[in-house]
Amino acid sequence: MGLTTETAIWFLPFILPACLFVAFDDLRAMKIRNLTVLYILGVFAVVGLVAFPFQTYLWQWVHVPIALAVGIFLNAARVMGAGDAKFIAAASPFFVFDGPIDVWLVMILWIAASFAGVATHRMAKRTPLRKATPNWESWGQGKRYPMGLTLGPMLAIYLLLPFWF
């Protein structure tokens, strides 16, 4: 895995609360707010300077415009929301790719988080939680899904993985 435990330790105290907020806020309002996205990018900009070697830090910034361009395309194709695209771009520099195994790891993590998020959301809609939170926007969206419930936990889990490997 390209991400080291030391690097993850630098980011986790700042990113973990933001990831939880993204999941909660997307469930509640079907929005990933610009301020949250800017906060995540700001954490990388500041903390990344001490968490990564400088050359790696600079290379990680290359992820942002690439992820944003892909996200804008997917948003235009109505595959994902604009907030989802912005979150992916802001989260992208945290993902370290040292080889093909890292790409596979992120893809598997994306798939697992997506299945878990969709299943959890669909099941929670049929529990007392829905009655306790009747004003949550995500409950009445039909087939639309709050991707923040996948994206936030995915970034958090990725940053926690070095502790298990």
Side-chain angles (χ1 to χ4, degrees):
M1 177 172 194
L3 184 70
T4 66
T5 306
E6 294 79 19
T7 300
I9 288 171
W10 278 104
F11 288 125
L12 274 170
F14 305 101
I15 294 300
L16 195 55
C19 290
L20 296 173
F21 179 76
V22 163
F24 169 77
D25 204 33
D26 208 15
L27 278 168
R28 187 186 60 74
M30 288 296 289
K31 291 187 185 317
I32 297 176
R33 301 179 191 284
N34 289 341
L35 193 57
T36 308
V37 170
L38 290 173
Y39 169 79
I40 290 168
L41 202 54
V43 167
F44 182 81
V46 175
V47 178
L49 281 168
V50 293
F52 285 113
F54 189 66
Q55 188 173 2
T56 304
Y57 170 78
L58 293 177
W59 274 110
Q60 292 303 110
W61 279 105
V62 173
H63 298 191
V64 177
I66 294 169
L68 187 59
V70 171
I72 289 170
F73 172 78
L74 292 173
N75 176 253
R78 298 187 181 266
V79 173
M80 70 173 54
D84 305 330
K86 291 181 284 187
F87 179 89
I88 290 169
S92 66
F94 293 92
F95 292 87
V96 180
F97 299 104
D98 278 346
I101 192 71
D102 291 317
V103 175
W104 281 105
L105 175 68
V106 171
M107 289 185 346
I108 290 168
L109 187 56
W110 171 275
I111 291 166
S114 295
F115 279 128
V118 170
T120 300
H121 184 258
R122 299 303 189 239
M123 285 189 288
K125 275 169 81 165
R126 290 159 179 76
T127 69
L129 178 61
R130 185 170 183 167
K131 289 182 183 174
T133 56
N135 297 328
W136 279 10
E137 192 73 25
S138 68
W139 298 139
Q141 293 297 311
K143 291 184 179 183
R144 288 186 62 216
Y145 166 71
M147 275 302 285
L149 189 56
T150 292
L151 299 173
M154 180 184 168
L155 177 56
I157 291 167
Y158 179 79
L159 291 174
L160 290 167
L161 281 178
F163 296 96
W164 286 292
F165 289 111

